[in-house]
């Protein structure tokens, strides 16, 4: 699985999750985390067919309210009910600050 996901990350411009199960959730979470960590700068989106991802998106929003996810990190992932709307959003540049743990502090 890791090799397949690494290849997907290397070859992709963004990530889209269709409705799915645990494997889809895991792959989406890893893509989001890799963006948050600065391992790549790629947007992640879900095709929210018939509100399939509404509970997951509500969980993300609740984690923001609880202080576990920063607002800027929440912006990594978006949802749309139509493929065209999702693709248009994914085509926009991602404006995340560089993660603080990747910045040089000048200390050795």
């Amino acid at each position: 699985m890791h090799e397949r996901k690494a290849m997907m990350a290397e070859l992709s411009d963004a990530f889209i999750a269709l409705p799915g199960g645990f494997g889809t959730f895991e792959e989406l979470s890893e893509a989001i985390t890799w963006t948050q960590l600065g391992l790549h700068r790629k947007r992640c989106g879900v095709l929210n067919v018939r509100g399939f991802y509404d509970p997951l998106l509500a969980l993300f929003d609740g984690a923001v309210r609880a202080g576990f996810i920063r607002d800027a990190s929440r912006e990594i992932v978006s949802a749309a009910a139509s493929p065209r709307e999702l693709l248009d959003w994914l085509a926009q540049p991602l404006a995340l600050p560089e993660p603080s743990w990747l910045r040089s502090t000048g200390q050795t």
Side-chain angles (χ1 to χ4, degrees), residues 17-103:
L18 304 177
F22 288 128
T24 302
F25 302 152
E26 190 274 334
E27 289 174 344
L28 175 63
S29 294
E30 187 159 326
I32 294 166
T33 302
W34 287 5
T35 300
Q36 181 182 11
L37 293 174
L39 300 177
H40 60 66
R41 306 290 282 176
K42 299 176 183 182
R43 289 188 176 275
C44 302
V46 296
L47 188 58
N48 197 18
V49 177
R50 297 183 183 169
F52 179 85
Y53 281 107
D54 287 349
L56 182 63
L57 298 167
L59 178 67
F60 291 168
D61 293 338
V64 170
R65 286 190 301 276
F68 291 107
I69 297 175
R70 293 180 181 171
D71 288 329
S73 293
R74 175 61 182 90
E75 293 174 16
I76 295 168
V77 62
S78 187
S82 80
R84 174 67 359 210
E85 183 183 355
L86 187 57
L87 289 172
D88 288 346
W89 181 83
L90 291 170
Q92 298 175 25
L94 185 61
L96 280 178
E98 183 178 288
S100 59
W101 54 86
L102 294 179
R103 284 188 224 126

